[in-house]
Amino acid sequence: MNKRPIGIFDSGVGGLTVFREIRKQFPKEDIVYFGDTARVPYGPKSYTTVSAYSIQNARFLLQRGAKIIVIACNTSSSVALKQLQDSLPVPVIGVIEPGAKTAVSTTRNGKIGIIGTEGTIRSKAYSREISNLKKDCRVFSQACPLLVPLAEEGWEDHPVTTLTIKEYLKPLLEEEIDTLILGCTHYPILKEAIQKVVGDNIVLVDSAEAVSKQLYEILPDKENEGIGEDHFFVSDNEDKFRQIASRILNIKISKLIKVNLGESWYLS
Ligand code: DGL
């Protein structure tokens, strides 16, 4: 069991921010990552579609021997976590609960902001989790769909990115939030730009860091018996994945395989 890999899936390349944190926390674990680059983005899609994709992605990781599945994608975590937990024979964790817990323990004035995709915000998954944890917190949410392409473009320092962040965050800043959940895989890439806009008095909660800490509680370091091997799979566009991945991870990805989940067979 211990030798089996940790499985991580995302709608595409953004989940590598979660992979990066988990790799840091578990240097000896083998990790299988699947990015659904053929069907990204999940953010604007219906819950039925996102759930169906998420189930296929998780089953693929099971076929690869995953001993635990981490849903890196906030949109998938928002709509498919319970279904996956109820139907899969291995533990499944998502990013919502760890992010919400960190935010609740961080806030001093009880005003928490959440930014994410349209799907994540519409689902109210973070708000529900926060009010389960602490009734008297007030939650202010904002969908920020333009931040995903800006992060993928590598425009971390671009004025367009700063302006876009300012525009999206204006209503949350007016509510005087003191904590902001980065509820999308791509936002940790823009962390510095977001911090500059909100100022030092607002604490940013990185769901990627939070889920990796939760994983550590379930899978302590001493369990590690692998050799720290990475296996990356995507459903399309290997070159683009490689290019963005090298920026996010600061390493060159050599072992990358394209798969067709619909047919469950390898294309290359
Ligand atoms: N991975 C998605 C998330 O964290 C962002 C990209 C998408 O819309 O698929 O919600």
Side-chain angles (χ1 to χ4, degrees), residues 10-12 14-15 39-44 72-76 95 116-117 120 148 152 183-186:
D10 179 48
S11 56
R39 304 187 289 198
V40 69
Y42 285 8
C73 179
N74 286 253
T75 313
S76 290
V95 284
T117 65
T120 299
V148 167
E152 292 209 356
C184 172
T185 47
H186 288 65

